[in-house]
Amino acid sequence: MPQPEQLERIVLTVPATALEAFEAALGCCCRTVGFFLNEATNTWVVEGLREIDGSDGDLVTALILAEAASGITPEIERIRVPAGGWLARSYQGFPEQKIGDRFAIRGTHIKDKKPAGRHSITVDAGLAFGTGEHGSTRGCLLALEMMAKRRRPLNILDLGTGSGVLGIAGVKIWGRPVLATDIDARAVRVATANAALNGTARLFRARRADGWLSPVLRRHAPYDLVFANILARPLTAMAHQLAAKLAPGGIAILAGLLDRQARWVLSAHRRHGLVLKSRIDDGEWTTLILEKPMRAPAMRAPSMPTTAKTRIDPPFA
């Protein structure tokens, strides 16, 4: 894929309450988005990288909507950077990621021999949306590894696929077809390219879809396994649809959650009959593993297990 000569780096600082709105805003119009906590000020720095195409309409609209949703108007820093220099830094900052006992995520720039005994997933660090170094991606892969020891799902959905890493991992583990969807057409193209790069194109179908209302998602339901590595707010809003489209006994792996958001995301899904089987905490990030019971559980007051940072709860039966 040809690279532009120059890119634009968008940087803004927001409080925790506005993080989700501005991360989503930059995600609509930037090639990559990242964010980190400034512990000295207890604020979040959100950065996006976009191609310079002479049009600011999409960026301006997205930021206005984020400001309206959050009530915050941050200062925005816009920096032009040479594409070649940024790609070199991106490659340097993207070493091979060994995750759990089964996976290794590698950039196309890594020429070393692939590690034995692991499923290697190769992605282009210059295009990657989710490349294993992020706590939510790692959490999903660890959850998949736990599940693979006891289950063999037949119908798999990767909702909000991004780079396609999770869907590709599913194909490599089980050799089963995976439907991968994303609202962003660029993500669909990147995921499709990554599937071809990893030899999984035959079983990996990437489609553009706006959540559960899309006909392609409804047509292939119910699902035995759903990956949903997105954001807390849309996960909560779609809880009833996920529960309806998950097969009895099916598993949902929910990620993209800050640890402080896990309780209300879990509560939303419990209201629709899903039960917590395990959770993985990785720094600021939490991954929830939920199951749809074969039969509706008896009504009881919701509870939440206490957790410590950077740990994995015991695997489910």
Side-chain angles (χ1 to χ4, degrees):
M1 182 178 294
Q3 301 292 343
E5 293 184 0
Q6 279 202 324
L7 300 166
E8 184 178 40
R9 183 166 161 249
I10 313 294
V11 184
L12 49 90
T13 300
V14 296
T17 54
L19 171 62
E20 189 171 342
F22 283 96
E23 191 275 342
L26 293 189
C28 292
C29 51
C30 292
R31 174 183 287 193
T32 61
V33 179
F35 44 91
F36 62 90
L37 177 65
N38 183 336
E39 295 184 359
T41 60
N42 197 33
T43 57
W44 288 84
V45 179
V46 188
E47 297 187 2
L49 198 78
R50 70 195 298 259
E51 297 179 9
I52 299 173
D53 59 6
S55 172
D56 279 347
D58 56 347
L59 175 63
V60 171
T61 300
L63 291 174
I64 288 173
L65 292 173
E67 291 174 8
S70 66
I72 300 296
T73 304
E75 289 189 13
I76 300 170
E77 186 178 10
R78 304 178 66 169
I79 308 162
R80 292 198 173 198
V81 296
W86 174 79
L87 285 172
R89 289 193 300 274
S90 180
Y91 292 154
Q92 185 179 15
F94 181 21
E96 180 179 75
Q97 304 286 321
K98 292 181 180 177
I99 301 172
D101 296 324
R102 298 200 183 195
F103 297 107
I105 310 299
R106 299 163 53 89
T108 50
H109 61 290
I110 298 175
K111 304 305 180 185
D112 297 344
K113 184 178 180 180
K114 294 180 179 179
R118 290 177 179 267
H119 295 287
S120 290
I121 301 173
T122 302
V123 297
D124 188 341
L127 299 174
F129 287 72
T131 53
E133 80 283 2
H134 195 288
S136 62
T137 306
R138 284 198 304 270
C140 283
L141 289 172
L142 289 171
L144 188 158
E145 183 175 298
M146 290 165 57
M147 181 181 173
K149 297 174 182 177
R150 299 173 181 272
R151 310 249 181 152
R152 185 175 175 82
L154 300 179
N155 194 18
I156 305 169
L157 172 66
D158 182 5
L159 181 67
T161 189
S163 65
V165 163
L166 300 178
I168 292 168
V171 172
K172 285 179 173 284
I173 283 284
W174 290 298
R176 296 294 307 168
V178 172
L179 173 62
T181 67
D182 204 289
I183 194 172
D184 189 336
R186 293 170 299 172
V188 172
R189 292 194 297 271
V190 169
T192 299
N194 282 335
L197 186 63
N198 286 276
T200 58
R202 185 176 65 86
L203 295 174
F204 184 95
R205 298 164 292 162
R207 300 289 185 270
R208 187 172 185 271
D210 186 4
W212 291 103
L213 297 179
S214 171
V216 68
L217 268 73
R218 297 200 304 268
R219 185 163 61 247
H220 290 89
Y223 300 96
D224 304 303
L225 171 63
V226 175
F227 295 111
N229 183 11
I230 42 179
L231 293 169
R233 194 173 302 278
L235 282 174
T236 300
M238 296 187 297
H240 66 293
Q241 295 163 314
L242 170 61
K245 298 299 187 293
L246 195 62
I251 293 291
I253 298 174
L254 309 185
L257 315 175
L258 295 170
D259 55 4
R260 61 181 173 79
Q261 298 170 325
R263 182 179 296 275
W264 58 273
V265 171
L266 176 59
S267 295
H269 289 81
R270 277 178 163 163
R271 285 195 294 270
H272 297 283
L274 302 189
V275 297
L276 178 67
K277 303 302 290 183
S278 187
R279 66 178 280 169
I280 298 170
D281 291 301
D282 187 343
E284 294 283 338
W285 301 95
T286 292
T287 300
L288 300 176
I289 306 173
L290 307 180
E291 182 182 42
K292 183 174 182 176
M294 298 298 292
R295 299 175 183 174
M299 294 299 294
R300 60 187 178 89
S303 61
M304 185 73 171
T306 57
T307 59
K309 295 279 187 178
T310 318
R311 77 159 208 204
I312 304 176
D313 279 0
F316 46 82

